[in-house]
Amino acid sequence: MIQLQFLNALLESKDSSLLLINNLNEDLFCDYKDEYNFIVNHLNEYGTIPDKVTFLSKFPEFDIIEVNESRDYLIDALFE
């Protein structure tokens, strides 16, 4: 669930520093590797996190949820 929460928080905030500063990689997203890689590739190619519509056009089964946890919690939980 934490992977889903983090990806949703990323799509909502569009804050690329969440990925870049924290040295995240696909190993932390074993349930969502394709989704994570799509976001990273979009960031590398276009300089931004994709918007939700673009993301959902590629991954229509992805669950968009509201995330109210802090960024610090999400990052700590990913590394656990």
Side-chain angles (χ1 to χ4, degrees), residues 12 19 29 41 45 55-56 72 77-79:
E12 181 64 33
L19 292 174
F29 296 91
N41 291 337
E45 188 168 344
F55 187 80
L56 287 173
D72 290 336
L78 274 175
F79 281 103

Side-chain angles (χ1 to χ4, degrees), residues 26-40:
E26 71 177 14
D27 295 337
L28 297 170
F29 296 91
C30 58
D31 296 333
Y32 296 95
K33 277 189 180 187
D34 291 340
E35 292 87 340
Y36 170 81
N37 285 323
F38 179 79
I39 291 171
V40 169

Side-chain angles (χ1 to χ4, degrees), residues 8-24:
N8 270 280
L10 189 58
L11 290 169
E12 181 64 33
S13 71
K14 297 184 63 96
D15 182 0
S16 61
S17 70
L18 287 172
L19 292 174
L20 304 174
I21 292 173
N22 296 294
N23 296 318
L24 302 181

Side-chain angles (χ1 to χ4, degrees), residues 49-75:
I49 302 294
D51 65 19
K52 290 178 187 176
V53 173
T54 299
F55 187 80
L56 287 173
S57 70
K58 179 75 173 168
F59 302 100
E61 300 299 317
F62 186 82
D63 293 323
I64 296 292
I65 60 172
E66 182 178 343
V67 179
N68 295 310
E69 289 292 349
S70 71
R71 292 174 179 176
D72 290 336
Y73 170 80
L74 295 172
I75 290 164

